[in-house]
Amino acid sequence: MKSIYLIIFILIVFTNFVHSRWIPRKENINICDKLDEYVISLYSEEQFLNYSDVKACYELTPYNKTKAIQVIEAIKENLKGFYALLDQAKEEQNPGFALRPIDLISELDLVLKNNYSYEFQFIYDVADLINELRDGHTWLNSDNYHKYNFQQGLSMYSVIRKDGTQQIKVFNDTKEPNNIDCQVIYIDDKPAIDVITEFARNHTYWSRDLSARFNSALASLAFGNGDFFIAGQLFTSRNQLPKNPSISYTLNCNGKISKITREWQVPIYDVQYKSPYINGASVGKATLIFDAFIARFYILQDFGVVLISTEDILNGDSDLEYHFLSDIAIGFKLLADRGIEKIILDLSNNGGGQIFAADYINKLLFPNIQKFPVDYKVNNISIPFIKETAKTKRGTGIFHYKSFISAKTNCPFDSVNDFVGNNIYTRGGVQVRYTSKAFRNDTTLYSGNFKFQIPPKLPWTEKDIIILTNGICLSSCAIITQRLAEINVPTIAVGGFPNTRFSFAQYAVGGASSTAEIKPIFNQLKNLDSSLVSKLSLPENLTLYFTLAEAYSIKNPNEVMDYAFRPADYQLYYDERSARDPSQLWIKAAKFFRK
Ligand SMILES: *[C@@H]1O[C@H](CO)[C@@H](O)[C@H](O)[C@H]1NC(C)=O
Ligand SMILES: *[C@@H]1O[C@H](CO)[C@@H](O)[C@H](O)[C@H]1NC(C)=O
Ligand SMILES: *[C@@H]1O[C@H](CO)[C@@H](O)[C@H](O)[C@H]1NC(C)=O
Ligand SMILES: *[C@@H]1O[C@H](CO)[C@@H](O)[C@H](O)[C@H]1NC(C)=O
Ligand SMILES: *[C@@H]1O[C@H](CO)[C@@H](O)[C@H](O)[C@H]1NC(C)=O
Ligand SMILES: *[C@@H]1O[C@H](CO)[C@@H](O)[C@H](O)[C@H]1NC(C)=O
Ligand SMILES: *[C@@H]1O[C@H](CO)[C@@H](O)[C@H](O)[C@H]1NC(C)=O
Ligand SMILES: *[C@@H]1O[C@H](CO)[C@@H](O)[C@H](O)[C@H]1NC(C)=O
């Protein structure tokens, strides 16, 4: 069974469609079919889909109010039943976050008061409203209207100059390479920084913290799928049909001012980015000593650097997953055997993955570390799932009380009622019921055949480790970094705005789920009320993702991690070189090792 704590790796936007079938041209072919044909056809001459064609395709489906009401009702029921943070989202939030209080249920109803011409406009409004939670686990995906990745062929980054001023520059331009490193002064005739900042504030949701969102709007290097790639760049790479067909950029290239206009296009083929400073095994002057695929181990000067991507590349194949985790233990042991006394953990642009992997890495480094306890919402929608699952022999993991260990007794729960508990908290001005606090029981949840070697004993303490991220360290990544920060491992966040310390990670939760994951459970639990099942069912091609279990701090036991503002201890900035050569950042980060 696919693991339940799998969190969608949202950083890589795949544009390489499968070129597998030749679809014969049909009579009366419509524009959408034509686009599909370009994408799938082996013989297609086209490099890009055009904005106007995709728009024409989307405009084939008119808005249907009856269907819209069904969509809104099903989303509301799922959120009320399962979304752990629904009520806390109504509260005034920490000023460190760029976040307004949001009563999602009432605001979803308001969407129905708008008039729309086309279905996609309605879907985008609902998706944007849910994104206003700025909760990376909670979002709406439409297979129909989030299908294409619109790009500009250009990406940007931000540097802080010696005089302290901030600039936007061209990171790469696949159409006109001469534009690389030119300053972007204006975007659509408005100051570039303001445009990117406002876009980050309104239209991105990979952090509650604006600085991290600003980073996500721009391009930066990420490690994943066994290599480096460009992540983020949400400003120039979008999965919703942009409002306008093009964007203009006013550039300053060594004093020469020019204005270019770029149409939005959907590339059919993927172009891989290659940094000039990353050469096979080495990054700048750092030498690779071990490659564990989801982690890489380098030595630079006299310290170690470990890149960690917790992504679930293996699609829940637990034996292979364990194999890679064993390799991570080997990598750390090699660093220890070489006498390395200080290590940097670089988790920049880590979009999450298996919570299990995060807990494993924490335990490897600090064998006595405790996990963040978690809980679920308890109400008349979730209770039937919890109670019916308890009756099944080998029930589905996410709702089964035997998947958890009581945080109070540190033993499995005696009964389902023991798990359900009787805990009422005030959140967003209302009384909300939650289960007993619990730890996930990894043995139950991840039952592979693979046996771990006994983990090596590693020499480092919290004084010898430093964490580096660009603020985009989500979900499982946050479980590593926020947990280690609670035992005083120092943290550095790179990028953001000048002299503005910001969150190094976000979304350390106890579990995320979706309507797609809940749906098969309807069939397994025969006694679920059929009216409940129909209330929760979304139309075909729409999936709602949500935070199912919230996690609590160990340091401040009543603080929900998702809403805890935890800025990094230190801040670094990108420059022209370090944006493309992470080893430059590692050298700067090493200056912060505790003496
Ligand atoms: C997109 O537009 C260009 C220029 O108008 C054209 O050459 C190209 O064939 C179009 N692509 C598609 C997929 O229609
Ligand atoms: C609108 O949606 C409803 C419910 O999905 C459907 O029954 C109805 O046929 C649709 N109306 C039109 C005009 O397509
Ligand atoms: C929506 O359309 C209806 C009927 O065409 C009209 O009465 C109403 O005022 C419109 N509402 C808005 C918010 O434009
Ligand atoms: C961003 O949101 C604010 C407040 O809702 C709004 O006034 C502004 O027009 C929005 N800007 C963009 C670029 O969407
Ligand atoms: C720009 O992108 C192209 C294609 O991805 C890549 O080959 C090239 O190395 C990049 N150039 C720079 C300077 O980043
Ligand atoms: C759940 O309880 C609410 C009131 O607390 C009620 O309005 C709703 O109909 C109930 N839902 C179900 C599925 O029983
Ligand atoms: C986890 O569950 C297994 C059975 O699935 C049980 O044997 C084990 O004791 C549990 N772990 C803890 C720490 O309670
Ligand atoms: C769902 O998506 C598929 C593939 O894009 C499409 O053929 C189908 O018509 C869609 N169904 C609905 C109800 O939108």
Side-chain angles (χ1 to χ4, degrees), residues 567-590:
D569 299 309
Y570 309 105
Q571 188 180 11
L572 287 177
Y573 305 105
Y574 292 110
D575 59 30
E576 285 77 355
R577 172 81 188 256
S578 69
R580 297 165 176 118
D581 176 1
S583 72
Q584 299 287 312
L585 293 171
W586 301 340
I587 288 167
K588 288 182 184 160

PDB file of all heavy atoms in Angstrom, residues 567-590:
ATOM      1  N   PRO A 567      11.988  32.034  13.108  1.00  0.00           N
ATOM      2  CA  PRO A 567      12.980  32.575  12.170  1.00  0.00           C
ATOM      3  C   PRO A 567      14.347  31.919  12.377  1.00  0.00           C
ATOM      4  O   PRO A 567      14.657  31.455  13.474  1.00  0.00           O
ATOM      5  CB  PRO A 567      13.024  34.060  12.526  1.00  0.00           C
ATOM      6  CG  PRO A 567      12.569  34.130  13.945  1.00  0.00           C
ATOM      7  CD  PRO A 567      11.633  32.980  14.169  1.00  0.00           C
ATOM      8  N   ALA A 568      15.140  31.903  11.326  1.00  0.00           N
ATOM      9  CA  ALA A 568      16.487  31.337  11.417  1.00  0.00           C
ATOM     10  C   ALA A 568      17.348  32.211  12.330  1.00  0.00           C
ATOM     11  O   ALA A 568      17.098  33.407  12.486  1.00  0.00           O
ATOM     12  CB  ALA A 568      17.104  31.263  10.026  1.00  0.00           C
ATOM     13  N   ASP A 569      18.396  31.612  12.890  1.00  0.00           N
ATOM     14  CA  ASP A 569      19.312  32.373  13.745  1.00  0.00           C
ATOM     15  C   ASP A 569      20.133  33.370  12.930  1.00  0.00           C
ATOM     16  O   ASP A 569      20.495  34.426  13.417  1.00  0.00           O
ATOM     17  CB  ASP A 569      20.280  31.408  14.453  1.00  0.00           C
ATOM     18  CG  ASP A 569      19.536  30.427  15.335  1.00  0.00           C
ATOM     19  OD1 ASP A 569      18.709  30.877  16.151  1.00  0.00           O
ATOM     20  OD2 ASP A 569      19.758  29.199  15.200  1.00  0.00           O
ATOM     21  N   TYR A 570      20.455  33.009  11.702  1.00  0.00           N
ATOM     22  CA  TYR A 570      21.328  33.846  10.868  1.00  0.00           C
ATOM     23  C   TYR A 570      20.759  33.942   9.457  1.00  0.00           C
ATOM     24  O   TYR A 570      19.970  33.099   9.037  1.00  0.00           O
ATOM     25  CB  TYR A 570      22.736  33.242  10.794  1.00  0.00           C
ATOM     26  CG  TYR A 570      23.331  32.904  12.129  1.00  0.00           C
ATOM     27  CD1 TYR A 570      23.416  31.575  12.554  1.00  0.00           C
ATOM     28  CD2 TYR A 570      23.806  33.912  12.982  1.00  0.00           C
ATOM     29  CE1 TYR A 570      23.952  31.250  13.792  1.00  0.00           C
ATOM     30  CE2 TYR A 570      24.350  33.589  14.214  1.00  0.00           C
ATOM     31  CZ  TYR A 570      24.420  32.259  14.626  1.00  0.00           C
ATOM     32  OH  TYR A 570      24.942  31.944  15.837  1.00  0.00           O
ATOM     33  N   GLN A 571      21.203  34.976   8.750  1.00  0.00           N
ATOM     34  CA  GLN A 571      20.767  35.148   7.358  1.00  0.00           C
ATOM     35  C   GLN A 571      21.971  35.314   6.435  1.00  0.00           C
ATOM     36  O   GLN A 571      22.953  35.973   6.796  1.00  0.00           O
ATOM     37  CB  GLN A 571      19.865  36.397   7.253  1.00  0.00           C
ATOM     38  CG  GLN A 571      19.218  36.555   5.889  1.00  0.00           C
ATOM     39  CD  GLN A 571      18.323  37.788   5.788  1.00  0.00           C
ATOM     40  OE1 GLN A 571      18.339  38.648   6.673  1.00  0.00           O
ATOM     41  NE2 GLN A 571      17.560  37.881   4.715  1.00  0.00           N
ATOM     42  N   LEU A 572      21.910  34.715   5.276  1.00  0.00           N
ATOM     43  CA  LEU A 572      22.913  34.903   4.217  1.00  0.00           C
ATOM     44  C   LEU A 572      22.187  35.368   2.962  1.00  0.00           C
ATOM     45  O   LEU A 572      20.972  35.208   2.849  1.00  0.00           O
ATOM     46  CB  LEU A 572      23.640  33.589   3.913  1.00  0.00           C
ATOM     47  CG  LEU A 572      24.653  33.054   4.924  1.00  0.00           C
ATOM     48  CD1 LEU A 572      25.184  31.699   4.453  1.00  0.00           C
ATOM     49  CD2 LEU A 572      25.811  34.041   5.104  1.00  0.00           C
ATOM     50  N   TYR A 573      22.944  35.912   2.020  1.00  0.00           N
ATOM     51  CA  TYR A 573      22.333  36.376   0.770  1.00  0.00           C
ATOM     52  C   TYR A 573      22.995  35.685  -0.418  1.00  0.00           C
ATOM     53  O   TYR A 573      24.154  35.283  -0.347  1.00  0.00           O
ATOM     54  CB  TYR A 573      22.495  37.891   0.622  1.00  0.00           C
ATOM     55  CG  TYR A 573      21.953  38.645   1.804  1.00  0.00           C
ATOM     56  CD1 TYR A 573      22.809  39.212   2.746  1.00  0.00           C
ATOM     57  CD2 TYR A 573      20.582  38.769   1.988  1.00  0.00           C
ATOM     58  CE1 TYR A 573      22.307  39.885   3.850  1.00  0.00           C
ATOM     59  CE2 TYR A 573      20.071  39.443   3.092  1.00  0.00           C
ATOM     60  CZ  TYR A 573      20.940  39.990   4.018  1.00  0.00           C
ATOM     61  OH  TYR A 573      20.435  40.648   5.110  1.00  0.00           O
ATOM     62  N   TYR A 574      22.252  35.625  -1.498  1.00  0.00           N
ATOM     63  CA  TYR A 574      22.837  35.131  -2.745  1.00  0.00           C
ATOM     64  C   TYR A 574      23.633  36.252  -3.402  1.00  0.00           C
ATOM     65  O   TYR A 574      23.301  37.421  -3.271  1.00  0.00           O
ATOM     66  CB  TYR A 574      21.737  34.707  -3.731  1.00  0.00           C
ATOM     67  CG  TYR A 574      20.960  33.489  -3.304  1.00  0.00           C
ATOM     68  CD1 TYR A 574      19.632  33.592  -2.906  1.00  0.00           C
ATOM     69  CD2 TYR A 574      21.553  32.216  -3.325  1.00  0.00           C
ATOM     70  CE1 TYR A 574      18.901  32.469  -2.530  1.00  0.00           C
ATOM     71  CE2 TYR A 574      20.833  31.090  -2.946  1.00  0.00           C
ATOM     72  CZ  TYR A 574      19.504  31.228  -2.544  1.00  0.00           C
ATOM     73  OH  TYR A 574      18.791  30.119  -2.176  1.00  0.00           O
ATOM     74  N   ASP A 575      24.702  35.858  -4.119  1.00  0.00           N
ATOM     75  CA  ASP A 575      25.321  36.784  -5.050  1.00  0.00           C
ATOM     76  C   ASP A 575      25.418  36.072  -6.403  1.00  0.00           C
ATOM     77  O   ASP A 575      24.953  34.935  -6.539  1.00  0.00           O
ATOM     78  CB  ASP A 575      26.688  37.281  -4.538  1.00  0.00           C
ATOM     79  CG  ASP A 575      27.685  36.159  -4.309  1.00  0.00           C
ATOM     80  OD1 ASP A 575      27.592  35.128  -5.021  1.00  0.00           O
ATOM     81  OD2 ASP A 575      28.556  36.299  -3.441  1.00  0.00           O
ATOM     82  N   GLU A 576      26.012  36.754  -7.387  1.00  0.00           N
ATOM     83  CA  GLU A 576      26.027  36.230  -8.744  1.00  0.00           C
ATOM     84  C   GLU A 576      26.634  34.823  -8.785  1.00  0.00           C
ATOM     85  O   GLU A 576      26.221  33.977  -9.576  1.00  0.00           O
ATOM     86  CB  GLU A 576      26.817  37.163  -9.682  1.00  0.00           C
ATOM     87  CG  GLU A 576      26.086  38.438 -10.065  1.00  0.00           C
ATOM     88  CD  GLU A 576      26.064  39.508  -8.976  1.00  0.00           C
ATOM     89  OE1 GLU A 576      26.548  39.244  -7.839  1.00  0.00           O
ATOM     90  OE2 GLU A 576      25.540  40.609  -9.240  1.00  0.00           O
ATOM     91  N   ARG A 577      27.642  34.596  -7.936  1.00  0.00           N
ATOM     92  CA  ARG A 577      28.313  33.308  -7.942  1.00  0.00           C
ATOM     93  C   ARG A 577      27.572  32.275  -7.083  1.00  0.00           C
ATOM     94  O   ARG A 577      27.285  31.162  -7.522  1.00  0.00           O
ATOM     95  CB  ARG A 577      29.755  33.510  -7.445  1.00  0.00           C
ATOM     96  CG  ARG A 577      30.548  32.251  -7.217  1.00  0.00           C
ATOM     97  CD  ARG A 577      31.121  31.707  -8.514  1.00  0.00           C
ATOM     98  NE  ARG A 577      31.713  30.401  -8.278  1.00  0.00           N
ATOM     99  CZ  ARG A 577      33.018  30.182  -8.192  1.00  0.00           C
ATOM    100  NH1 ARG A 577      33.873  31.184  -8.337  1.00  0.00           N
ATOM    101  NH2 ARG A 577      33.483  28.966  -7.974  1.00  0.00           N
ATOM    102  N   SER A 578      27.240  32.683  -5.837  1.00  0.00           N
ATOM    103  CA  SER A 578      26.688  31.682  -4.912  1.00  0.00           C
ATOM    104  C   SER A 578      25.297  31.213  -5.330  1.00  0.00           C
ATOM    105  O   SER A 578      24.870  30.131  -4.941  1.00  0.00           O
ATOM    106  CB  SER A 578      26.672  32.209  -3.476  1.00  0.00           C
ATOM    107  OG  SER A 578      25.735  33.238  -3.330  1.00  0.00           O
ATOM    108  N   ALA A 579      24.585  32.014  -6.136  1.00  0.00           N
ATOM    109  CA  ALA A 579      23.279  31.563  -6.620  1.00  0.00           C
ATOM    110  C   ALA A 579      23.434  30.325  -7.498  1.00  0.00           C
ATOM    111  O   ALA A 579      22.493  29.551  -7.649  1.00  0.00           O
ATOM    112  CB  ALA A 579      22.599  32.680  -7.399  1.00  0.00           C
ATOM    113  N   ARG A 580      24.629  30.152  -8.074  1.00  0.00           N
ATOM    114  CA  ARG A 580      24.853  29.013  -8.978  1.00  0.00           C
ATOM    115  C   ARG A 580      25.858  28.017  -8.430  1.00  0.00           C
ATOM    116  O   ARG A 580      26.059  26.943  -9.001  1.00  0.00           O
ATOM    117  CB  ARG A 580      25.362  29.531 -10.322  1.00  0.00           C
ATOM    118  CG  ARG A 580      24.336  30.405 -10.998  1.00  0.00           C
ATOM    119  CD  ARG A 580      24.936  31.203 -12.119  1.00  0.00           C
ATOM    120  NE  ARG A 580      23.894  31.958 -12.799  1.00  0.00           N
ATOM    121  CZ  ARG A 580      23.857  33.277 -12.871  1.00  0.00           C
ATOM    122  NH1 ARG A 580      24.809  34.000 -12.307  1.00  0.00           N
ATOM    123  NH2 ARG A 580      22.881  33.871 -13.497  1.00  0.00           N
ATOM    124  N   ASP A 581      26.522  28.405  -7.338  1.00  0.00           N
ATOM    125  CA  ASP A 581      27.571  27.555  -6.761  1.00  0.00           C
ATOM    126  C   ASP A 581      27.333  27.463  -5.256  1.00  0.00           C
ATOM    127  O   ASP A 581      27.815  28.289  -4.484  1.00  0.00           O
ATOM    128  CB  ASP A 581      28.941  28.183  -7.057  1.00  0.00           C
ATOM    129  CG  ASP A 581      30.072  27.413  -6.403  1.00  0.00           C
ATOM    130  OD1 ASP A 581      29.804  26.378  -5.743  1.00  0.00           O
ATOM    131  OD2 ASP A 581      31.227  27.848  -6.536  1.00  0.00           O
ATOM    132  N   PRO A 582      26.556  26.452  -4.820  1.00  0.00           N
ATOM    133  CA  PRO A 582      26.204  26.367  -3.396  1.00  0.00           C
ATOM    134  C   PRO A 582      27.428  26.278  -2.480  1.00  0.00           C
ATOM    135  O   PRO A 582      27.339  26.654  -1.307  1.00  0.00           O
ATOM    136  CB  PRO A 582      25.356  25.089  -3.294  1.00  0.00           C
ATOM    137  CG  PRO A 582      25.136  24.589  -4.669  1.00  0.00           C
ATOM    138  CD  PRO A 582      25.955  25.398  -5.631  1.00  0.00           C
ATOM    139  N   SER A 583      28.583  25.836  -2.999  1.00  0.00           N
ATOM    140  CA  SER A 583      29.757  25.704  -2.122  1.00  0.00           C
ATOM    141  C   SER A 583      30.175  27.071  -1.569  1.00  0.00           C
ATOM    142  O   SER A 583      30.769  27.160  -0.497  1.00  0.00           O
ATOM    143  CB  SER A 583      30.919  25.033  -2.857  1.00  0.00           C
ATOM    144  OG  SER A 583      31.484  25.907  -3.810  1.00  0.00           O
ATOM    145  N   GLN A 584      29.857  28.149  -2.302  1.00  0.00           N
ATOM    146  CA  GLN A 584      30.153  29.495  -1.802  1.00  0.00           C
ATOM    147  C   GLN A 584      29.320  29.802  -0.551  1.00  0.00           C
ATOM    148  O   GLN A 584      29.799  30.454   0.372  1.00  0.00           O
ATOM    149  CB  GLN A 584      29.834  30.529  -2.882  1.00  0.00           C
ATOM    150  CG  GLN A 584      30.637  30.364  -4.150  1.00  0.00           C
ATOM    151  CD  GLN A 584      32.078  30.790  -3.966  1.00  0.00           C
ATOM    152  OE1 GLN A 584      32.335  31.860  -3.429  1.00  0.00           O
ATOM    153  NE2 GLN A 584      33.006  29.949  -4.370  1.00  0.00           N
ATOM    154  N   LEU A 585      28.090  29.331  -0.549  1.00  0.00           N
ATOM    155  CA  LEU A 585      27.233  29.532   0.631  1.00  0.00           C
ATOM    156  C   LEU A 585      27.730  28.666   1.786  1.00  0.00           C
ATOM    157  O   LEU A 585      27.688  29.070   2.942  1.00  0.00           O
ATOM    158  CB  LEU A 585      25.782  29.168   0.316  1.00  0.00           C
ATOM    159  CG  LEU A 585      25.057  30.065  -0.677  1.00  0.00           C
ATOM    160  CD1 LEU A 585      23.710  29.454  -1.055  1.00  0.00           C
ATOM    161  CD2 LEU A 585      24.850  31.464  -0.088  1.00  0.00           C
ATOM    162  N   TRP A 586      28.194  27.451   1.465  1.00  0.00           N
ATOM    163  CA  TRP A 586      28.673  26.550   2.520  1.00  0.00           C
ATOM    164  C   TRP A 586      29.868  27.179   3.249  1.00  0.00           C
ATOM    165  O   TRP A 586      29.967  27.098   4.474  1.00  0.00           O
ATOM    166  CB  TRP A 586      29.053  25.182   1.927  1.00  0.00           C
ATOM    167  CG  TRP A 586      27.902  24.501   1.234  1.00  0.00           C
ATOM    168  CD1 TRP A 586      26.565  24.756   1.408  1.00  0.00           C
ATOM    169  CD2 TRP A 586      27.972  23.464   0.242  1.00  0.00           C
ATOM    170  NE1 TRP A 586      25.806  23.949   0.588  1.00  0.00           N
ATOM    171  CE2 TRP A 586      26.644  23.147  -0.136  1.00  0.00           C
ATOM    172  CE3 TRP A 586      29.022  22.766  -0.374  1.00  0.00           C
ATOM    173  CZ2 TRP A 586      26.338  22.167  -1.091  1.00  0.00           C
ATOM    174  CZ3 TRP A 586      28.726  21.785  -1.319  1.00  0.00           C
ATOM    175  CH2 TRP A 586      27.395  21.491  -1.673  1.00  0.00           C
ATOM    176  N   ILE A 587      30.755  27.829   2.479  1.00  0.00           N
ATOM    177  CA  ILE A 587      31.927  28.453   3.110  1.00  0.00           C
ATOM    178  C   ILE A 587      31.469  29.579   4.045  1.00  0.00           C
ATOM    179  O   ILE A 587      31.957  29.711   5.171  1.00  0.00           O
ATOM    180  CB  ILE A 587      32.902  28.968   2.025  1.00  0.00           C
ATOM    181  CG1 ILE A 587      33.583  27.758   1.344  1.00  0.00           C
ATOM    182  CG2 ILE A 587      33.952  29.897   2.619  1.00  0.00           C
ATOM    183  CD1 ILE A 587      34.332  28.088   0.068  1.00  0.00           C
ATOM    184  N   LYS A 588      30.479  30.366   3.592  1.00  0.00           N
ATOM    185  CA  LYS A 588      29.955  31.441   4.464  1.00  0.00           C
ATOM    186  C   LYS A 588      29.232  30.852   5.678  1.00  0.00           C
ATOM    187  O   LYS A 588      29.353  31.366   6.788  1.00  0.00           O
ATOM    188  CB  LYS A 588      28.987  32.335   3.686  1.00  0.00           C
ATOM    189  CG  LYS A 588      29.686  33.225   2.677  1.00  0.00           C
ATOM    190  CD  LYS A 588      28.676  34.115   1.976  1.00  0.00           C
ATOM    191  CE  LYS A 588      29.369  34.940   0.906  1.00  0.00           C
ATOM    192  NZ  LYS A 588      28.417  35.449  -0.091  1.00  0.00           N
ATOM    193  N   ALA A 589      28.493  29.778   5.459  1.00  0.00           N
ATOM    194  CA  ALA A 589      27.731  29.169   6.552  1.00  0.00           C
ATOM    195  C   ALA A 589      28.667  28.619   7.624  1.00  0.00           C
ATOM    196  O   ALA A 589      28.371  28.689   8.822  1.00  0.00           O
ATOM    197  CB  ALA A 589      26.834  28.056   6.006  1.00  0.00           C
ATOM    198  N   ALA A 590      29.829  28.115   7.193  1.00  0.00           N
ATOM    199  CA  ALA A 590      30.765  27.483   8.139  1.00  0.00           C
ATOM    200  C   ALA A 590      31.266  28.486   9.181  1.00  0.00           C
ATOM    201  O   ALA A 590      31.687  28.107  10.270  1.00  0.00           O
ATOM    202  CB  ALA A 590      31.941  26.874   7.376  1.00  0.00           C
TER     203      ALA A 590
END
